[in-house]
Amino acid sequence: TTNGRFRSLLVGVNKGDHLVYVGRVGTGFGQDAVLRLLPELKAHPSKTSPFTGINAPRRERSVNWLDPVLVAEIEFAGWTADGLVRQAAYKGLRIDKPAAEVVAEKPAKAATAAISKLTLVSPRSQASKTGRPNVVMNVPLSNPDKPLWPDDGNGKLTKLDLALYYEAVSDWIIDHIKGRPCSIIRMPDGINGERFFQRHAMPGTSNLITLTTVSGDRKPYIQIDRPEGLIAVAQIAGIELHPWNCEPGHPEKPGRFVFDLDPAPDVSFDRVVEAALEIRDRLKAVGLVGFCKTTGGKGLHVVTPFSVPESGRLGWDEAKAFARELCIQMANDSPEKYLVNMAKKQRSGRIFLDYLRNDRMSTAVAPLSPRGRDGAPVSMPLTWAQVKKGLDPSRFTLRTVPALIGKSAAWRGYLEAERPLLEAMKALAGRPAKRTLAGAKSAGVPAAGP
Ligand code: ATP
Ligand code: MN
């Protein structure tokens, strides 16, 4: 209010248990609308602000807080980079959808329901100096022409290119990062500048990014649940996405393994391919389904989704022991090719099977995440038919991947491929390595054990 007169509404949407502030609605309040609205507002006063989160407005004398029980339809032109509505206009209260119903729904559903009440109209997309757009998925970018990857012979790649890439593959990426804490690596001055590995949300973090709390840390973690969140990440030059491997929505629950194959510099890529196929076969032998991706770097990742019992008895300690045992069996069977011991200096000629990636707070680069390396490589999901001699991971870049992934059958069935880890653990325990542990020890591989 100003001078006791109604001016605007502060509005929010449900996200999990929180009511997240999404901005101020200052138009659409004709005389009739205000006459109908005011009695409703006066019926729900509150002493405190209902909003939580970093962007929540501070207490001001001119703000009258309400209990968040009213649902309004808002028309708006898009999102600001901070996740606030732009040019928002009030269209009326939605009495057909009682707020009580929204509150009673499960958190995830409540978020969708609340957002669905905001009607999106097409944005007025502005052009940058170069004539290219500077709004992607309704999210404006500042400095869209900022180079992030220097010219590698094909031209430089800018913040706008990153945002357009994220837009092109957003549905694909979101499936693999939503519901999980996700660190981002920001390179505001491009890949040759300073890097910031960011786990936690910071003041000013966009509302398009979800904040999630995990046990043992008061500060909220970054989580990206919606395509627009990726554009907000591009806006802050977030080039790499590194999610946890928990069950979506359950940060304490293990949800997938990533077997990280790290070849020594003198090992050919064909041998990494051979190692990925062997991991796949070993997973299959214990009932798990493997999926392979390039890393955008030197190795390959084999990913397998699994389920653990509701009880929570099977945590990361047990899951990690499984991953360790599988890698140890593989290294024991071919000690001349593989090793699991990081401390060993003599990696030369061999591939390091990094089972340590499989832990509660460990991350792996997300499928389709770009990498802050020369040539803008991408961590590319592959079909097993592609995982063969001659595979060249450098083909998969920010430029080539959007067209390639559209045609690809890679990771088809991933979401239905989850198998019970408990069964796999039993199966693995019944599969002794071909060589004896004594033999393995002499080859420099530690024996299995706690
Ligand atoms: P490459 O194929 O070149 O090995 P990669 O993504 O597997 O690429 P690694 O160095 O093997 O790179 O790291 C594996 C994963 O571990 C990364 O994807 C990343 O999520 C995580 N990681 C690596 N280094 C760090 C770090 N310094 N801090 C946090 N996480 C890291
Ligand atoms: Mn690796």
PDB file of all heavy atoms in Angstrom, residues 227-258:
ATOM      1  N   PRO A 227      13.771 -26.606 -17.054  1.00  0.00           N
ATOM      2  CA  PRO A 227      14.597 -26.134 -18.167  1.00  0.00           C
ATOM      3  C   PRO A 227      15.061 -24.689 -17.990  1.00  0.00           C
ATOM      4  O   PRO A 227      16.224 -24.382 -18.268  1.00  0.00           O
ATOM      5  CB  PRO A 227      13.669 -26.277 -19.367  1.00  0.00           C
ATOM      6  CG  PRO A 227      12.752 -27.397 -19.005  1.00  0.00           C
ATOM      7  CD  PRO A 227      12.545 -27.296 -17.521  1.00  0.00           C
ATOM      8  N   GLU A 228      14.186 -23.806 -17.515  1.00  0.00           N
ATOM      9  CA  GLU A 228      14.578 -22.403 -17.352  1.00  0.00           C
ATOM     10  C   GLU A 228      15.732 -22.264 -16.367  1.00  0.00           C
ATOM     11  O   GLU A 228      16.511 -21.306 -16.435  1.00  0.00           O
ATOM     12  CB  GLU A 228      13.399 -21.553 -16.862  1.00  0.00           C
ATOM     13  CG  GLU A 228      12.291 -21.368 -17.873  1.00  0.00           C
ATOM     14  CD  GLU A 228      11.270 -22.499 -17.824  1.00  0.00           C
ATOM     15  OE1 GLU A 228      11.533 -23.537 -17.160  1.00  0.00           O
ATOM     16  OE2 GLU A 228      10.208 -22.369 -18.452  1.00  0.00           O
ATOM     17  N   GLY A 229      15.830 -23.202 -15.427  1.00  0.00           N
ATOM     18  CA  GLY A 229      16.934 -23.176 -14.462  1.00  0.00           C
ATOM     19  C   GLY A 229      18.276 -23.300 -15.174  1.00  0.00           C
ATOM     20  O   GLY A 229      19.278 -22.722 -14.740  1.00  0.00           O
ATOM     21  N   LEU A 230      18.298 -24.061 -16.279  1.00  0.00           N
ATOM     22  CA  LEU A 230      19.541 -24.204 -17.038  1.00  0.00           C
ATOM     23  C   LEU A 230      19.945 -22.877 -17.666  1.00  0.00           C
ATOM     24  O   LEU A 230      21.131 -22.566 -17.772  1.00  0.00           O
ATOM     25  CB  LEU A 230      19.379 -25.270 -18.129  1.00  0.00           C
ATOM     26  CG  LEU A 230      19.254 -26.712 -17.633  1.00  0.00           C
ATOM     27  CD1 LEU A 230      18.847 -27.625 -18.780  1.00  0.00           C
ATOM     28  CD2 LEU A 230      20.573 -27.180 -17.025  1.00  0.00           C
ATOM     29  N   ILE A 231      18.958 -22.097 -18.095  1.00  0.00           N
ATOM     30  CA  ILE A 231      19.278 -20.795 -18.696  1.00  0.00           C
ATOM     31  C   ILE A 231      19.813 -19.859 -17.605  1.00  0.00           C
ATOM     32  O   ILE A 231      20.744 -19.075 -17.845  1.00  0.00           O
ATOM     33  CB  ILE A 231      18.047 -20.183 -19.404  1.00  0.00           C
ATOM     34  CG1 ILE A 231      17.371 -21.217 -20.308  1.00  0.00           C
ATOM     35  CG2 ILE A 231      18.464 -18.946 -20.202  1.00  0.00           C
ATOM     36  CD1 ILE A 231      18.259 -21.874 -21.346  1.00  0.00           C
ATOM     37  N   ALA A 232      19.228 -19.962 -16.415  1.00  0.00           N
ATOM     38  CA  ALA A 232      19.754 -19.164 -15.294  1.00  0.00           C
ATOM     39  C   ALA A 232      21.199 -19.568 -14.987  1.00  0.00           C
ATOM     40  O   ALA A 232      22.018 -18.735 -14.595  1.00  0.00           O
ATOM     41  CB  ALA A 232      18.873 -19.341 -14.060  1.00  0.00           C
ATOM     42  N   VAL A 233      21.532 -20.844 -15.181  1.00  0.00           N
ATOM     43  CA  VAL A 233      22.908 -21.312 -14.991  1.00  0.00           C
ATOM     44  C   VAL A 233      23.815 -20.747 -16.089  1.00  0.00           C
ATOM     45  O   VAL A 233      24.931 -20.290 -15.820  1.00  0.00           O
ATOM     46  CB  VAL A 233      22.962 -22.864 -14.955  1.00  0.00           C
ATOM     47  CG1 VAL A 233      24.389 -23.378 -15.050  1.00  0.00           C
ATOM     48  CG2 VAL A 233      22.300 -23.383 -13.678  1.00  0.00           C
ATOM     49  N   ALA A 234      23.322 -20.734 -17.324  1.00  0.00           N
ATOM     50  CA  ALA A 234      24.099 -20.132 -18.423  1.00  0.00           C
ATOM     51  C   ALA A 234      24.351 -18.658 -18.137  1.00  0.00           C
ATOM     52  O   ALA A 234      25.450 -18.146 -18.388  1.00  0.00           O
ATOM     53  CB  ALA A 234      23.371 -20.305 -19.758  1.00  0.00           C
ATOM     54  N   GLN A 235      23.343 -17.982 -17.617  1.00  0.00           N
ATOM     55  CA  GLN A 235      23.462 -16.541 -17.323  1.00  0.00           C
ATOM     56  C   GLN A 235      24.656 -16.257 -16.404  1.00  0.00           C
ATOM     57  O   GLN A 235      25.324 -15.252 -16.531  1.00  0.00           O
ATOM     58  CB  GLN A 235      22.138 -16.052 -16.714  1.00  0.00           C
ATOM     59  CG  GLN A 235      22.189 -14.779 -15.892  1.00  0.00           C
ATOM     60  CD  GLN A 235      22.689 -13.573 -16.677  1.00  0.00           C
ATOM     61  OE1 GLN A 235      22.664 -13.544 -17.910  1.00  0.00           O
ATOM     62  NE2 GLN A 235      23.193 -12.573 -15.960  1.00  0.00           N
ATOM     63  N   ILE A 236      24.935 -17.184 -15.476  1.00  0.00           N
ATOM     64  CA  ILE A 236      26.081 -16.987 -14.574  1.00  0.00           C
ATOM     65  C   ILE A 236      27.301 -17.789 -15.048  1.00  0.00           C
ATOM     66  O   ILE A 236      28.190 -18.122 -14.265  1.00  0.00           O
ATOM     67  CB  ILE A 236      25.719 -17.307 -13.104  1.00  0.00           C
ATOM     68  CG1 ILE A 236      25.161 -18.725 -12.962  1.00  0.00           C
ATOM     69  CG2 ILE A 236      24.724 -16.287 -12.564  1.00  0.00           C
ATOM     70  CD1 ILE A 236      24.906 -19.153 -11.510  1.00  0.00           C
ATOM     71  N   ALA A 237      27.329 -18.080 -16.347  1.00  0.00           N
ATOM     72  CA  ALA A 237      28.463 -18.772 -16.977  1.00  0.00           C
ATOM     73  C   ALA A 237      28.750 -20.130 -16.327  1.00  0.00           C
ATOM     74  O   ALA A 237      29.894 -20.533 -16.171  1.00  0.00           O
ATOM     75  CB  ALA A 237      29.717 -17.893 -16.975  1.00  0.00           C
ATOM     76  N   GLY A 238      27.673 -20.817 -15.958  1.00  0.00           N
ATOM     77  CA  GLY A 238      27.794 -22.177 -15.415  1.00  0.00           C
ATOM     78  C   GLY A 238      27.952 -23.147 -16.574  1.00  0.00           C
ATOM     79  O   GLY A 238      26.990 -23.506 -17.247  1.00  0.00           O
ATOM     80  N   ILE A 239      29.186 -23.581 -16.822  1.00  0.00           N
ATOM     81  CA  ILE A 239      29.491 -24.369 -18.014  1.00  0.00           C
ATOM     82  C   ILE A 239      29.347 -25.868 -17.757  1.00  0.00           C
ATOM     83  O   ILE A 239      28.942 -26.630 -18.617  1.00  0.00           O
ATOM     84  CB  ILE A 239      30.913 -24.016 -18.516  1.00  0.00           C
ATOM     85  CG1 ILE A 239      30.875 -22.635 -19.198  1.00  0.00           C
ATOM     86  CG2 ILE A 239      31.448 -25.077 -19.464  1.00  0.00           C
ATOM     87  CD1 ILE A 239      32.211 -22.174 -19.745  1.00  0.00           C
ATOM     88  N   GLU A 240      29.683 -26.308 -16.528  1.00  0.00           N
ATOM     89  CA  GLU A 240      29.605 -27.749 -16.247  1.00  0.00           C
ATOM     90  C   GLU A 240      28.603 -28.029 -15.138  1.00  0.00           C
ATOM     91  O   GLU A 240      28.520 -27.289 -14.154  1.00  0.00           O
ATOM     92  CB  GLU A 240      30.986 -28.284 -15.835  1.00  0.00           C
ATOM     93  CG  GLU A 240      32.031 -28.141 -16.933  1.00  0.00           C
ATOM     94  CD  GLU A 240      33.311 -28.937 -16.631  1.00  0.00           C
ATOM     95  OE1 GLU A 240      33.356 -29.636 -15.591  1.00  0.00           O
ATOM     96  OE2 GLU A 240      34.236 -28.841 -17.436  1.00  0.00           O
ATOM     97  N   LEU A 241      27.874 -29.149 -15.280  1.00  0.00           N
ATOM     98  CA  LEU A 241      26.874 -29.580 -14.299  1.00  0.00           C
ATOM     99  C   LEU A 241      27.349 -30.885 -13.669  1.00  0.00           C
ATOM    100  O   LEU A 241      27.612 -31.855 -14.387  1.00  0.00           O
ATOM    101  CB  LEU A 241      25.531 -29.812 -14.993  1.00  0.00           C
ATOM    102  CG  LEU A 241      25.023 -28.663 -15.872  1.00  0.00           C
ATOM    103  CD1 LEU A 241      23.881 -29.147 -16.763  1.00  0.00           C
ATOM    104  CD2 LEU A 241      24.581 -27.497 -14.999  1.00  0.00           C
ATOM    105  N   HIS A 242      27.450 -30.898 -12.352  1.00  0.00           N
ATOM    106  CA  HIS A 242      27.953 -32.089 -11.649  1.00  0.00           C
ATOM    107  C   HIS A 242      26.987 -32.505 -10.547  1.00  0.00           C
ATOM    108  O   HIS A 242      27.125 -32.072  -9.406  1.00  0.00           O
ATOM    109  CB  HIS A 242      29.336 -31.811 -11.070  1.00  0.00           C
ATOM    110  CG  HIS A 242      30.402 -31.607 -12.106  1.00  0.00           C
ATOM    111  ND1 HIS A 242      31.234 -32.620 -12.533  1.00  0.00           N
ATOM    112  CD2 HIS A 242      30.748 -30.524 -12.835  1.00  0.00           C
ATOM    113  CE1 HIS A 242      32.056 -32.167 -13.459  1.00  0.00           C
ATOM    114  NE2 HIS A 242      31.790 -30.881 -13.663  1.00  0.00           N
ATOM    115  N   PRO A 243      25.989 -33.324 -10.910  1.00  0.00           N
ATOM    116  CA  PRO A 243      24.992 -33.724  -9.914  1.00  0.00           C
ATOM    117  C   PRO A 243      25.468 -34.855  -8.995  1.00  0.00           C
ATOM    118  O   PRO A 243      26.405 -35.583  -9.328  1.00  0.00           O
ATOM    119  CB  PRO A 243      23.823 -34.215 -10.770  1.00  0.00           C
ATOM    120  CG  PRO A 243      24.474 -34.739 -12.008  1.00  0.00           C
ATOM    121  CD  PRO A 243      25.695 -33.889 -12.242  1.00  0.00           C
ATOM    122  N   TRP A 244      24.781 -34.979  -7.863  1.00  0.00           N
ATOM    123  CA  TRP A 244      24.923 -36.145  -6.994  1.00  0.00           C
ATOM    124  C   TRP A 244      24.308 -37.358  -7.701  1.00  0.00           C
ATOM    125  O   TRP A 244      23.557 -37.201  -8.676  1.00  0.00           O
ATOM    126  CB  TRP A 244      24.179 -35.925  -5.681  1.00  0.00           C
ATOM    127  CG  TRP A 244      24.834 -34.980  -4.728  1.00  0.00           C
ATOM    128  CD1 TRP A 244      25.752 -34.024  -5.021  1.00  0.00           C
ATOM    129  CD2 TRP A 244      24.592 -34.901  -3.316  1.00  0.00           C
ATOM    130  NE1 TRP A 244      26.095 -33.356  -3.868  1.00  0.00           N
ATOM    131  CE2 TRP A 244      25.398 -33.875  -2.807  1.00  0.00           C
ATOM    132  CE3 TRP A 244      23.764 -35.598  -2.423  1.00  0.00           C
ATOM    133  CZ2 TRP A 244      25.411 -33.531  -1.453  1.00  0.00           C
ATOM    134  CZ3 TRP A 244      23.771 -35.253  -1.090  1.00  0.00           C
ATOM    135  CH2 TRP A 244      24.595 -34.237  -0.597  1.00  0.00           C
ATOM    136  N   ASN A 245      24.578 -38.515  -7.151  1.00  0.00           N
ATOM    137  CA  ASN A 245      24.025 -39.731  -7.722  1.00  0.00           C
ATOM    138  C   ASN A 245      22.987 -40.367  -6.814  1.00  0.00           C
ATOM    139  O   ASN A 245      22.821 -41.588  -6.781  1.00  0.00           O
ATOM    140  CB  ASN A 245      25.158 -40.689  -8.076  1.00  0.00           C
ATOM    141  CG  ASN A 245      25.991 -40.130  -9.201  1.00  0.00           C
ATOM    142  OD1 ASN A 245      25.462 -39.748 -10.247  1.00  0.00           O
ATOM    143  ND2 ASN A 245      27.290 -40.014  -8.991  1.00  0.00           N
ATOM    144  N   CYS A 246      22.271 -39.513  -6.093  1.00  0.00           N
ATOM    145  CA  CYS A 246      21.207 -39.981  -5.205  1.00  0.00           C
ATOM    146  C   CYS A 246      19.940 -40.281  -6.004  1.00  0.00           C
ATOM    147  O   CYS A 246      19.838 -39.978  -7.188  1.00  0.00           O
ATOM    148  CB  CYS A 246      20.903 -38.928  -4.147  1.00  0.00           C
ATOM    149  SG  CYS A 246      20.417 -37.341  -4.858  1.00  0.00           S
ATOM    150  N   GLU A 247      18.983 -40.888  -5.317  1.00  0.00           N
ATOM    151  CA  GLU A 247      17.640 -41.051  -5.853  1.00  0.00           C
ATOM    152  C   GLU A 247      17.017 -39.647  -5.945  1.00  0.00           C
ATOM    153  O   GLU A 247      17.116 -38.880  -4.989  1.00  0.00           O
ATOM    154  CB  GLU A 247      16.868 -41.924  -4.859  1.00  0.00           C
ATOM    155  CG  GLU A 247      15.506 -42.368  -5.282  1.00  0.00           C
ATOM    156  CD  GLU A 247      15.519 -43.389  -6.395  1.00  0.00           C
ATOM    157  OE1 GLU A 247      16.558 -44.041  -6.610  1.00  0.00           O
ATOM    158  OE2 GLU A 247      14.483 -43.494  -7.059  1.00  0.00           O
ATOM    159  N   PRO A 248      16.381 -39.302  -7.082  1.00  0.00           N
ATOM    160  CA  PRO A 248      15.806 -37.959  -7.173  1.00  0.00           C
ATOM    161  C   PRO A 248      14.859 -37.660  -6.006  1.00  0.00           C
ATOM    162  O   PRO A 248      14.021 -38.488  -5.654  1.00  0.00           O
ATOM    163  CB  PRO A 248      15.040 -38.001  -8.498  1.00  0.00           C
ATOM    164  CG  PRO A 248      15.736 -39.042  -9.297  1.00  0.00           C
ATOM    165  CD  PRO A 248      16.229 -40.067  -8.318  1.00  0.00           C
ATOM    166  N   GLY A 249      15.042 -36.505  -5.400  1.00  0.00           N
ATOM    167  CA  GLY A 249      14.190 -36.112  -4.279  1.00  0.00           C
ATOM    168  C   GLY A 249      14.604 -36.686  -2.939  1.00  0.00           C
ATOM    169  O   GLY A 249      14.015 -36.374  -1.913  1.00  0.00           O
ATOM    170  N   HIS A 250      15.614 -37.580  -2.941  1.00  0.00           N
ATOM    171  CA  HIS A 250      16.075 -38.206  -1.698  1.00  0.00           C
ATOM    172  C   HIS A 250      17.596 -38.121  -1.607  1.00  0.00           C
ATOM    173  O   HIS A 250      18.293 -39.089  -1.924  1.00  0.00           O
ATOM    174  CB  HIS A 250      15.637 -39.665  -1.631  1.00  0.00           C
ATOM    175  CG  HIS A 250      14.155 -39.844  -1.689  1.00  0.00           C
ATOM    176  ND1 HIS A 250      13.349 -39.757  -0.576  1.00  0.00           N
ATOM    177  CD2 HIS A 250      13.321 -40.061  -2.735  1.00  0.00           C
ATOM    178  CE1 HIS A 250      12.083 -39.930  -0.926  1.00  0.00           C
ATOM    179  NE2 HIS A 250      12.044 -40.121  -2.235  1.00  0.00           N
ATOM    180  N   PRO A 251      18.110 -36.988  -1.160  1.00  0.00           N
ATOM    181  CA  PRO A 251      19.568 -36.794  -1.203  1.00  0.00           C
ATOM    182  C   PRO A 251      20.374 -37.843  -0.419  1.00  0.00           C
ATOM    183  O   PRO A 251      21.538 -38.073  -0.732  1.00  0.00           O
ATOM    184  CB  PRO A 251      19.769 -35.392  -0.625  1.00  0.00           C
ATOM    185  CG  PRO A 251      18.454 -34.945  -0.091  1.00  0.00           C
ATOM    186  CD  PRO A 251      17.389 -35.795  -0.709  1.00  0.00           C
ATOM    187  N   GLU A 252      19.746 -38.500   0.560  1.00  0.00           N
ATOM    188  CA  GLU A 252      20.507 -39.476   1.367  1.00  0.00           C
ATOM    189  C   GLU A 252      20.499 -40.865   0.737  1.00  0.00           C
ATOM    190  O   GLU A 252      21.200 -41.761   1.195  1.00  0.00           O
ATOM    191  CB  GLU A 252      19.941 -39.560   2.789  1.00  0.00           C
ATOM    192  CG  GLU A 252      19.831 -38.226   3.500  1.00  0.00           C
ATOM    193  CD  GLU A 252      21.112 -37.403   3.431  1.00  0.00           C
ATOM    194  OE1 GLU A 252      22.204 -37.986   3.519  1.00  0.00           O
ATOM    195  OE2 GLU A 252      21.004 -36.168   3.253  1.00  0.00           O
ATOM    196  N   LYS A 253      19.666 -41.073  -0.269  1.00  0.00           N
ATOM    197  CA  LYS A 253      19.456 -42.413  -0.815  1.00  0.00           C
ATOM    198  C   LYS A 253      20.285 -42.627  -2.067  1.00  0.00           C
ATOM    199  O   LYS A 253      20.153 -41.871  -3.029  1.00  0.00           O
ATOM    200  CB  LYS A 253      17.984 -42.538  -1.193  1.00  0.00           C
ATOM    201  CG  LYS A 253      17.242 -43.626  -0.495  1.00  0.00           C
ATOM    202  CD  LYS A 253      15.821 -43.657  -1.015  1.00  0.00           C
ATOM    203  CE  LYS A 253      15.135 -44.869  -0.461  1.00  0.00           C
ATOM    204  NZ  LYS A 253      13.792 -44.999  -0.974  1.00  0.00           N
ATOM    205  N   PRO A 254      21.110 -43.683  -2.100  1.00  0.00           N
ATOM    206  CA  PRO A 254      21.858 -43.945  -3.340  1.00  0.00           C
ATOM    207  C   PRO A 254      20.895 -44.273  -4.484  1.00  0.00           C
ATOM    208  O   PRO A 254      19.895 -44.953  -4.264  1.00  0.00           O
ATOM    209  CB  PRO A 254      22.701 -45.180  -3.004  1.00  0.00           C
ATOM    210  CG  PRO A 254      22.548 -45.422  -1.543  1.00  0.00           C
ATOM    211  CD  PRO A 254      21.354 -44.672  -1.055  1.00  0.00           C
ATOM    212  N   GLY A 255      21.208 -43.812  -5.696  1.00  0.00           N
ATOM    213  CA  GLY A 255      20.298 -44.011  -6.832  1.00  0.00           C
ATOM    214  C   GLY A 255      20.956 -44.523  -8.093  1.00  0.00           C
ATOM    215  O   GLY A 255      20.294 -45.097  -8.950  1.00  0.00           O
ATOM    216  N   ARG A 256      22.262 -44.307  -8.249  1.00  0.00           N
ATOM    217  CA  ARG A 256      22.939 -44.813  -9.446  1.00  0.00           C
ATOM    218  C   ARG A 256      24.440 -44.852  -9.173  1.00  0.00           C
ATOM    219  O   ARG A 256      24.963 -44.118  -8.331  1.00  0.00           O
ATOM    220  CB  ARG A 256      22.637 -43.952 -10.677  1.00  0.00           C
ATOM    221  CG  ARG A 256      23.177 -42.539 -10.595  1.00  0.00           C
ATOM    222  CD  ARG A 256      22.721 -41.653 -11.770  1.00  0.00           C
ATOM    223  NE  ARG A 256      23.092 -40.269 -11.526  1.00  0.00           N
ATOM    224  CZ  ARG A 256      22.476 -39.205 -12.046  1.00  0.00           C
ATOM    225  NH1 ARG A 256      21.455 -39.370 -12.846  1.00  0.00           N
ATOM    226  NH2 ARG A 256      22.877 -37.995 -11.759  1.00  0.00           N
ATOM    227  N   PHE A 257      25.095 -45.737  -9.912  1.00  0.00           N
ATOM    228  CA  PHE A 257      26.561 -45.777  -9.874  1.00  0.00           C
ATOM    229  C   PHE A 257      27.108 -45.130 -11.135  1.00  0.00           C
ATOM    230  O   PHE A 257      26.499 -45.230 -12.204  1.00  0.00           O
ATOM    231  CB  PHE A 257      27.078 -47.217  -9.878  1.00  0.00           C
ATOM    232  CG  PHE A 257      26.824 -47.976  -8.608  1.00  0.00           C
ATOM    233  CD1 PHE A 257      26.175 -49.203  -8.644  1.00  0.00           C
ATOM    234  CD2 PHE A 257      27.256 -47.488  -7.380  1.00  0.00           C
ATOM    235  CE1 PHE A 257      25.953 -49.924  -7.477  1.00  0.00           C
ATOM    236  CE2 PHE A 257      27.044 -48.204  -6.215  1.00  0.00           C
ATOM    237  CZ  PHE A 257      26.387 -49.421  -6.266  1.00  0.00           C
ATOM    238  N   VAL A 258      28.260 -44.500 -10.990  1.00  0.00           N
ATOM    239  CA  VAL A 258      29.014 -44.068 -12.156  1.00  0.00           C
ATOM    240  C   VAL A 258      30.384 -44.731 -12.065  1.00  0.00           C
ATOM    241  O   VAL A 258      31.132 -44.483 -11.118  1.00  0.00           O
ATOM    242  CB  VAL A 258      29.179 -42.540 -12.200  1.00  0.00           C
ATOM    243  CG1 VAL A 258      30.023 -42.128 -13.406  1.00  0.00           C
ATOM    244  CG2 VAL A 258      27.824 -41.853 -12.253  1.00  0.00           C
TER     245      VAL A 258
END
